[in-house]
Structure formats: structure tokens, C-alpha cells
Coordinates of all heavy atoms in Angstrom, one line a residue:
M1 N 38.5 62.3 47.0 CA 38.0 60.9 47.1 C 38.8 60.2 48.2 O 39.9 60.4 48.3 CB 38.1 60.2 45.8 CG 37.1 60.7 44.7 SD 35.4 60.3 45.0 CE 35.3 58.6 44.6
K2 N 38.1 59.3 48.9 CA 38.8 58.4 49.9 C 38.8 57.0 49.1 O 37.8 56.6 48.6 CB 38.1 58.4 51.2 CG 38.0 59.7 51.8 CD 39.3 60.2 52.3 CE 39.2 61.4 53.2 NZ 40.4 62.0 53.6
A3 N 39.7 56.2 49.4 CA 39.8 54.8 48.9 C 40.4 54.0 49.9 O 41.1 54.3 50.9 CB 40.7 54.9 47.6
F4 N 40.0 52.6 49.7 CA 40.5 51.6 50.6 C 40.6 50.3 49.9 O 39.8 50.0 49.1 CB 39.5 51.5 51.8 CG 39.9 50.3 52.7 CD1 40.9 50.4 53.6 CD2 39.1 49.1 52.6 CE1 41.2 49.3 54.4 CE2 39.4 48.1 53.5 CZ 40.4 48.2 54.4
R5 N 41.6 49.6 50.2 CA 41.8 48.2 49.6 C 41.6 47.2 50.7 O 42.3 47.3 51.7 CB 43.2 48.0 49.0 CG 43.4 48.7 47.6 CD 44.7 48.4 47.1 NE 45.8 48.8 48.0 CZ 46.4 50.1 47.9 NH1 46.0 51.0 47.2 NH2 47.3 50.4 48.9
C6 N 40.6 46.3 50.5 CA 40.4 45.4 51.5 C 41.6 44.5 51.8 O 41.8 44.1 53.0 CB 39.2 44.5 51.2 SG 38.7 43.4 52.4
G7 N 42.4 44.3 50.8 CA 43.6 43.5 51.0 C 44.6 44.0 52.0 O 45.5 43.3 52.4
D8 N 44.4 45.3 52.3 CA 45.3 45.9 53.3 C 45.0 45.4 54.7 O 45.9 45.4 55.6 CB 45.2 47.4 53.3 CG 45.8 48.1 52.2 OD1 46.5 47.4 51.4 OD2 45.6 49.3 51.9
V9 N 43.8 44.9 54.8 CA 43.4 44.3 56.1 C 43.2 42.8 56.1 O 43.5 42.0 57.0 CB 42.1 45.0 56.6 CG1 41.5 44.4 57.9 CG2 42.3 46.5 56.9
V10 N 42.5 42.4 54.9 CA 42.3 40.9 54.7 C 43.3 40.4 53.5 O 43.0 40.6 52.4 CB 40.9 40.7 54.4 CG1 40.5 39.2 54.2 CG2 39.9 41.3 55.4
P11 N 44.3 39.8 54.0 CA 45.3 39.3 52.9 C 44.6 38.5 51.9 O 43.9 37.6 52.2 CB 46.4 38.6 53.8 CG 46.3 39.2 55.1 CD 44.8 39.6 55.3
G12 N 44.9 38.8 50.6 CA 44.3 37.9 49.5 C 43.1 38.4 49.0 O 42.6 38.0 48.0
C13 N 42.4 39.4 49.6 CA 41.2 39.9 49.1 C 41.5 41.1 48.2 O 42.3 41.9 48.6 CB 40.3 40.5 50.3 SG 38.6 41.1 49.6
D14 N 41.0 41.1 47.0 CA 41.3 42.2 46.0 C 40.2 43.2 45.8 O 40.3 44.0 44.9 CB 41.8 41.5 44.7 CG 40.6 40.7 44.1 OD1 39.5 40.7 44.6 OD2 40.8 40.2 43.0
A15 N 39.2 43.2 46.7 CA 38.2 44.3 46.6 C 38.7 45.6 47.0 O 39.6 45.7 47.9 CB 37.0 43.9 47.6
S16 N 38.2 46.6 46.4 CA 38.6 48.0 46.7 C 37.4 48.9 46.6 O 36.5 48.6 45.9 CB 39.8 48.5 45.8 OG 39.4 48.6 44.5
F17 N 37.5 50.0 47.4 CA 36.4 50.9 47.5 C 36.7 52.4 47.4 O 37.8 52.7 47.9 CB 35.6 50.7 48.8 CG 35.4 49.2 49.1 CD1 36.3 48.5 49.8 CD2 34.2 48.6 48.6 CE1 36.1 47.1 50.1 CE2 34.0 47.3 48.8 CZ 34.9 46.5 49.6
Q18 N 35.9 53.2 46.9 CA 36.1 54.5 46.8 C 34.8 55.3 47.1 O 33.7 54.9 46.8 CB 36.6 55.1 45.4 CG 38.0 54.7 45.1 CD 38.5 55.3 43.8 OE1 37.8 56.2 43.3 NE2 39.5 54.9 43.3
A19 N 34.9 56.3 47.8 CA 33.7 57.2 48.1 C 34.2 58.7 48.4 O 35.5 58.9 48.5 CB 33.0 56.7 49.3
S20 N 33.2 59.5 48.4 CA 33.6 61.0 48.6 C 34.2 61.3 50.0 O 34.9 62.2 50.2 CB 32.5 61.8 48.3 OG 31.4 61.6 49.1
D21 N 33.8 60.4 51.0 CA 34.3 60.6 52.3 C 34.5 59.3 53.0 O 34.1 58.3 52.5 CB 33.4 61.6 53.2 CG 32.0 61.0 53.2 OD1 31.8 59.8 53.0 OD2 31.0 61.8 53.5
E22 N 35.1 59.4 54.2 CA 35.5 58.2 55.0 C 34.2 57.3 55.3 O 34.2 56.1 55.3 CB 36.3 58.6 56.2 CG 36.8 57.4 57.0 CD 37.6 57.9 58.2 OE1 38.8 58.3 58.0 OE2 37.0 58.0 59.3
A23 N 33.1 58.1 55.7 CA 31.9 57.4 56.2 C 31.4 56.5 54.9 O 30.8 55.4 55.1 CB 30.8 58.4 56.5
G24 N 31.5 57.1 53.7 CA 31.0 56.3 52.5 C 31.8 55.1 52.2 O 31.3 54.0 51.9
V25 N 33.2 55.2 52.4 CA 34.0 54.0 52.3 C 33.7 53.0 53.4 O 33.6 51.8 53.0 CB 35.5 54.5 52.4 CG1 36.4 53.2 52.4 CG2 35.9 55.4 51.3
L26 N 33.6 53.5 54.6 CA 33.3 52.5 55.7 C 31.9 51.8 55.4 O 31.9 50.6 55.7 CB 33.2 53.2 57.1 CG 34.6 53.6 57.6 CD1 34.4 54.6 58.9 CD2 35.3 52.3 58.0
A27 N 30.9 52.5 54.9 CA 29.7 51.8 54.6 C 29.9 50.7 53.6 O 29.4 49.6 53.7 CB 28.7 52.9 54.1
S28 N 30.7 51.0 52.5 CA 30.9 50.0 51.6 C 31.7 48.9 52.0 O 31.4 47.7 51.7 CB 31.7 50.7 50.3 OG 30.9 51.6 49.7
V29 N 32.7 49.2 52.8 CA 33.5 48.1 53.5 C 32.6 47.2 54.3 O 32.7 46.0 54.4 CB 34.7 48.7 54.3 CG1 35.3 47.6 55.1 CG2 35.6 49.4 53.2
A30 N 31.7 47.8 55.1 CA 30.8 47.1 56.0 C 30.0 46.2 55.2 O 29.7 44.9 55.6 CB 29.9 48.0 56.9
A31 N 29.4 46.6 54.1 CA 28.6 45.7 53.2 C 29.4 44.6 52.7 O 28.9 43.5 52.6 CB 27.9 46.5 52.2
H32 N 30.6 44.9 52.2 CA 31.4 43.9 51.6 C 31.9 42.8 52.6 O 31.9 41.7 52.4 CB 32.8 44.6 51.1 CG 33.9 43.6 50.8 ND1 33.8 42.8 49.7 CD2 35.0 43.4 51.4 CE1 34.9 42.1 49.7 NE2 35.8 42.5 50.7
A33 N 32.2 43.3 53.9 CA 32.7 42.4 55.0 C 31.5 41.5 55.4 O 31.7 40.3 55.6 CB 33.0 43.2 56.2
R34 N 30.3 42.0 55.3 CA 29.1 41.1 55.6 C 28.9 40.1 54.5 O 28.6 38.9 54.7 CB 27.9 42.1 55.9 CG 26.6 41.3 56.2 CD 25.3 42.2 56.1 NE 25.2 42.7 54.8 CZ 24.9 44.1 54.3 NH1 24.8 44.9 55.3 NH2 24.8 44.3 53.1
D35 N 28.8 40.6 53.2 CA 28.5 39.7 52.1 C 29.6 38.8 51.8 O 29.3 37.7 51.3 CB 28.0 40.6 50.9 CG 26.8 41.4 51.1 OD1 26.1 41.1 52.1 OD2 26.6 42.4 50.4
D36 N 30.8 39.2 51.8 CA 31.9 38.4 51.2 C 32.8 37.8 52.3 O 33.5 36.9 52.1 CB 32.7 39.3 50.3 CG 32.0 39.7 49.1 OD1 31.2 38.8 48.6 OD2 32.2 40.8 48.6
H37 N 32.7 38.3 53.5 CA 33.6 37.8 54.6 C 32.8 37.3 55.7 O 33.3 36.7 56.8 CB 34.6 38.8 55.1 CG 35.6 39.3 54.0 ND1 36.4 38.4 53.4 CD2 35.8 40.5 53.5 CE1 37.1 39.1 52.6 NE2 36.8 40.4 52.6
G38 N 31.4 37.4 55.6 CA 30.5 36.8 56.8 C 30.6 37.6 58.1 O 30.2 37.0 59.1
L39 N 31.1 38.8 58.0 CA 31.1 39.6 59.3 C 29.9 40.4 59.4 O 29.6 41.4 58.6 CB 32.4 40.5 59.3 CG 33.7 39.8 59.2 CD1 34.8 40.8 59.0 CD2 33.9 39.0 60.5
T40 N 29.0 40.1 60.3 CA 27.8 40.9 60.4 C 28.0 42.2 61.1 O 27.3 43.2 61.0 CB 26.7 40.1 61.2 OG1 27.2 39.6 62.4 CG2 26.2 38.9 60.4
D41 N 29.1 42.2 62.0 CA 29.5 43.5 62.6 C 31.0 43.6 62.5 O 31.7 42.7 62.5 CB 29.2 43.4 64.2 CG 27.7 43.8 64.5 OD1 27.2 44.8 63.9 OD2 27.0 42.9 65.2
L42 N 31.4 44.9 62.3 CA 32.8 45.2 62.3 C 33.4 45.4 63.7 O 32.8 46.4 64.3 CB 33.1 46.3 61.3 CG 32.8 46.2 59.9 CD1 33.3 47.4 59.1 CD2 33.5 44.9 59.3
P43 N 34.2 44.6 64.2 CA 34.8 44.9 65.5 C 35.5 46.2 65.5 O 36.0 46.6 64.4 CB 35.7 43.7 65.7 CG 35.5 42.7 64.6 CD 34.7 43.4 63.5
A44 N 35.6 46.8 66.7 CA 36.3 48.1 66.7 C 37.7 48.1 66.2 O 38.1 49.1 65.6 CB 36.2 48.7 68.2
D45 N 38.4 47.1 66.5 CA 39.7 47.1 66.0 C 39.9 46.9 64.5 O 40.8 47.4 63.9 CB 40.6 46.0 66.8 CG 40.0 44.5 66.5 OD1 38.9 44.5 66.1 OD2 40.7 43.6 66.7
L46 N 38.8 46.2 64.0 CA 38.9 46.2 62.4 C 38.5 47.5 61.8 O 39.0 48.0 60.8 CB 37.9 45.1 62.0 CG 37.8 44.7 60.5 CD1 39.2 44.4 60.0 CD2 36.9 43.6 60.2
V47 N 37.5 48.1 62.5 CA 37.2 49.5 61.9 C 38.4 50.4 62.0 O 38.6 51.2 61.1 CB 35.9 50.1 62.7 CG1 35.8 51.6 62.4 CG2 34.7 49.3 62.5
A48 N 39.1 50.3 63.1 CA 40.3 51.2 63.2 C 41.4 50.8 62.2 O 41.9 51.7 61.6 CB 41.0 50.9 64.6
A49 N 41.4 49.6 61.9 CA 42.4 49.1 60.8 C 42.0 49.7 59.4 O 42.8 50.0 58.6 CB 42.5 47.6 60.8
V50 N 40.7 49.6 59.2 CA 40.1 50.1 58.0 C 40.4 51.6 57.9 O 40.9 52.1 56.9 CB 38.6 49.8 57.8 CG1 38.0 50.6 56.6 CG2 38.3 48.3 57.7
R51 N 40.1 52.3 58.9 CA 40.3 53.8 59.0 C 41.7 54.1 58.7 O 42.1 55.0 57.9 CB 39.9 54.4 60.3 CG 38.4 54.2 60.6 CD 38.1 55.0 61.9 NE 37.4 56.3 61.6 CZ 36.1 56.4 61.9 NH1 35.4 55.5 62.4 NH2 35.5 57.5 61.6
A52 N 42.7 53.3 59.2 CA 44.1 53.5 59.1 C 44.5 53.3 57.6 O 45.4 53.9 57.1 CB 44.8 52.6 60.0
G53 N 43.7 52.3 56.9 CA 44.1 52.0 55.6 C 43.5 52.9 54.5 O 43.8 52.9 53.4
I54 N 42.5 53.7 54.9 CA 41.9 54.7 54.0 C 42.8 55.8 53.6 O 43.5 56.3 54.4 CB 40.6 55.2 54.6 CG1 39.5 54.2 54.8 CG2 40.1 56.4 53.7 CD1 38.2 54.7 55.5
H55 N 42.9 56.0 52.3 CA 43.9 57.0 51.8 C 43.2 57.8 50.8 O 42.1 57.5 50.2 CB 45.1 56.3 51.2 CG 44.8 55.3 50.2 ND1 44.5 54.1 50.5 CD2 44.7 55.4 48.8 CE1 44.2 53.3 49.4 NE2 44.5 54.2 48.4
E56 N 43.7 59.0 50.6 CA 43.2 60.0 49.7 C 43.6 59.8 48.3 O 44.7 59.3 48.0 CB 43.7 61.4 50.1 CG 43.1 62.6 49.3 CD 41.6 62.8 49.8 OE1 41.3 62.6 51.0 OE2 40.9 63.3 48.9
V57 N 42.7 59.8 47.3 CA 42.9 59.6 45.9 C 42.4 60.8 45.1 O 41.4 61.5 45.5 CB 42.4 58.4 45.3 CG1 43.1 57.1 46.0 CG2 40.9 58.2 45.5
P58 N 42.9 61.2 44.0 CA 42.5 62.3 43.2 C 41.1 62.1 42.7 O 40.6 60.9 42.4 CB 43.5 62.4 42.0 CG 44.7 61.7 42.5 CD 44.2 60.6 43.4
E59 N 40.3 63.2 42.6 CA 39.0 63.0 42.2 C 38.8 62.4 40.8 O 38.0 61.5 40.5 CB 38.2 64.5 42.0 CG 37.9 65.0 43.3 CD 36.8 64.3 44.1 OE1 36.0 63.8 43.4 OE2 36.7 64.3 45.2
D60 N 39.7 62.8 39.9 CA 39.6 62.5 38.5 C 40.6 61.4 38.0 O 40.8 61.2 36.9 CB 39.6 63.7 37.6 CG 40.8 64.5 37.8 OD1 41.6 64.2 38.7 OD2 41.0 65.5 37.1
G61 N 41.4 61.0 39.0 CA 42.5 60.0 38.6 C 42.2 58.6 38.9 O 41.3 58.4 39.8
A62 N 42.8 57.7 38.3 CA 42.7 56.4 38.7 C 43.4 56.1 40.0 O 44.5 56.7 40.3 CB 43.2 55.4 37.6
A63 N 42.8 55.2 40.8 CA 43.4 54.9 42.1 C 44.7 54.1 41.9 O 45.4 53.5 41.9 CB 42.5 54.1 43.0
Ligands
ZN1 ZN1 37.5 41.8 51.4

């Protein structure tokens, strides 16, 4: 599983996401950014920051 904490990029945001692959995490982050942060498009540098913040978590463990 891949996981990402929005707070790693947006200080103070406690949203977190998990998916089976990076693309799934990015899709969830994009939806969250749009709905909760008002970002209709993710700038390339923000996508890069998100990718850098995505980390591996165990399938059956808590993040
Ligand atoms: Zn957020």
C-alpha cells in the first residue's frame, strides 16, 4: 500500500490517504485538494511534492 499525509505538504491539514499504488493516492489527493483546498488543478511542483511524500505502508498494518 502507498500512503500520503496531506499535512506533509499543507501544514495543518490532517487528511491522509492510502491506495494500492501511487496513481490511486494521487487521484484521492487531487479530489481532496479540489474539494477541501479549492485547487482545481494540481501544479506540477505540488504533484512532485505529493509524490515525494508518498510512502510505503504494510498491507495489513495501520499506517
Ligand atoms: Zn489537505
Side-chain angles (χ1 to χ4, degrees):
M1 294 286 285
K2 301 290 187 182
F4 173 74
R5 285 185 301 272
C6 190
D8 289 348
V9 173
V10 181
C13 184
D14 61 0
S16 63
F17 309 94
Q18 287 189 14
S20 58
D21 58 20
E22 185 178 280
V25 175
L26 282 172
S28 295
V29 171
H32 165 72
R34 182 189 63 224
D35 294 344
D36 293 326
H37 296 301
L39 297 172
T40 53
D41 279 310
L42 293 186
D45 60 342
L46 185 54
V47 173
V50 171
R51 295 185 108 105
I54 291 174
H55 52 279
E56 189 72 32
V57 294
E59 287 290 333
D60 54 356

